[in-house]
Every structure is written in C-alpha cells, then in structure tokens.
Amino acid sequence: AQTVTQSQPEMSVQEAETVTLSCTYDTSENNYYLFWYKQPPSRQMILVIRQEAYKQQNATENRFSVNFQKAAKSFSLKISDSQLGDTAMYFCAFMKSGVGNEKLTFGTGTRLTIIP
Amino acid sequence: KAGVTQTPRYLIKTRGQQVTLSCSPISGHRSVSWYQQTPGQGLQFLFEYFSETQRNKGNFPGRFSGRQFSNSRSEMNVSTLELGDSALYLCASSSLWTTNTGELFFGEGSRLTVL
C-alpha cells in the first residue's frame, strides 16, 4: 500500500513571495505518477502539476515547479510569485501507472493562505 | 466541454436513511471514481468504475455501493446512514488518454450532512 505524507497543515506567505510545500511518500512501486492538486474554497479539485516517476527532469507549469527526489521519496511544490488566487488547500497525491489503476492516494493537505 | 457534474450539491439526511448521489462524467470519459472527504480522515478512495464494471474498491463497509450506467454516468448509494458519513463526496472522471497521464477531473462534490 502507498502512503502520502504532508507535514505542513497550514502555511501563509505574502503575495509575490515564493513558497514551498512539502510531500513525502512511500511505495514499493517503480512506475507511478505524483500530483499536486489544488482545492480552492469553491471545492473543485484542480490539477496543478504532475510528475512521472521515470522522468528525472522536474516538472514545471508556469509559476509552479516541483522538486522530485525519487530515492528520497520526496515531492515538493514550489510556487513562485504567489498570487491571491493561489489561496487553497493543496493535496499531494500518488497513483500507480497503468490502465486500471485510476486510484489516487492523497496526503492530508496543506492549507495555503496568500496574504495581500 | 462540460465538466464533471454532481447532483445534488447539498443534502441533509437523518441516521438510518439512505442516499443516492449522481455523477455525470466529462463526455467521452469512461472511468468514474468516487472519493469521500472529511476533516478527520481526509480524502479517501471509495471505488472506481469503468464500462459499468467496478475495477477498484477502497476500504469502506458494504453500506457504500455504486454502479455505472452504459452512458458512463455513475451513482453511489449509502444505506443505513451514520453520523460519520457526513462528508463531501467527490466524483472524478478520466478517459483512456488522460489515464495515460494519470490525470483525474473532479466535480464540485455533493455535501452530505447526516443528523
């Protein structure tokens, strides 16, 4: 079984600053995906960024980037130039790769508040 | 393209009753999965359906059941409701192509309150 751990229940940062959210995971699988999902107060979960385990290059999506350390089983999210719209719950999630494995294992989440 | 639609958005039930929640996936998506979100337990996987067949099941009691129809719409049912079933129930869909990327698309959820 997989586990995902987010050790920061809450974080806050000033607008325009950079913030890093931590995530560690445990699995015996070799092929998998890691995700960061964002859940704004309106509740709809939105994919922020994804990383395939076989790729060594860290994923980047505009202001969002990850630091993927496969050996350490660490997957942190960096948000640069933070904006008020980034205020949300952020969930780190794991999924085994392959068809038929559409099951996400989530961490407990980090509530991020961007301060004007 | 319409997103994942869940109905009802809010509902209140009393202990012992049953409830049925509905989920319409994004057009063309054949996989539908359900998650329960509570403050105490976080996000937990309930089950996943593909082409009317349950492919994956989480660790929930038999009171929680689901099904998927030929048009990929899915329903989940909770019988003999307990106070602890109060939660936000999220539905997510994926297609063969998004499955290859591992991405799920979520609805806004159904907020169930059990009194």
Side-chain angles (χ1 to χ4, degrees), chain A residues 33 35 37 39 42-47 50 52 91 95 98-108, chain B residues 9-10 31 33 35 37 43 45 48 55-56 88 90 94 99-104 106-109 111:
Chain A
Y33 302 105
F35 306 88
Y37 277 90
Q39 189 178 39
S42 65
R43 302 181 317 193
Q44 186 168 26
M45 199 86 70
I46 304 166
L47 178 66
R50 59 184 286 276
E52 289 144 313
F91 294 95
M95 179 189 285
V99 175
N101 290 318
E102 288 80 357
K103 170 189 172 183
L104 284 167
T105 299
F106 287 94
T108 51
Chain B
R9 292 286 306 277
Y10 302 90
S31 170
S33 51
Y35 292 82
Q37 185 174 19
L43 282 151
F45 171 77
E48 184 254 344
R55 284 198 303 193
N56 295 287
L88 180 66
L90 294 173
S94 66
T99 294
N100 288 337
T101 67
E103 181 178 1
L104 301 185
F106 285 84
E108 293 189 358
R111 169 76 65 186

Side-chain angles (χ1 to χ4, degrees), chain B residues 12-40:
Chain B
I12 300 173
K13 294 285 187 178
T14 57
R15 280 180 296 174
Q17 288 186 312
Q18 73 164 14
V19 66
T20 298
L21 309 178
S22 178
C23 172
S24 294
I26 292 172
S27 177
H29 286 195
R30 294 168 64 188
S31 170
V32 174
S33 51
W34 290 88
Y35 292 82
Q36 181 195 63
Q37 185 174 19
T38 60

Side-chain angles (χ1 to χ4, degrees), chain B residues 19-95:
Chain B
V19 66
T20 298
L21 309 178
S22 178
C23 172
S24 294
I26 292 172
S27 177
H29 286 195
R30 294 168 64 188
S31 170
V32 174
S33 51
W34 290 88
Y35 292 82
Q36 181 195 63
Q37 185 174 19
T38 60
Q41 299 298 317
L43 282 151
Q44 294 186 287
F45 171 77
L46 280 156
F47 27 64
E48 184 254 344
Y49 288 87
F50 180 83
S51 292
E52 302 177 68
T53 300
Q54 187 181 86
R55 284 198 303 193
N56 295 287
K57 188 177 189 308
N59 188 27
F60 277 82
R63 300 185 297 107
F64 291 81
S65 63
R67 59 178 176 169
Q68 186 180 35
F69 302 95
S70 58
N71 62 357
S72 294
R73 189 178 71 85
S74 176
E75 290 180 347
M76 66 162 284
N77 183 277
V78 187
S79 63
T80 317
L81 285 166
E82 301 176 358
L83 295 179
D85 297 333
S86 294
L88 180 66
Y89 289 88
L90 294 173
C91 169
S93 74
S94 66
S95 69

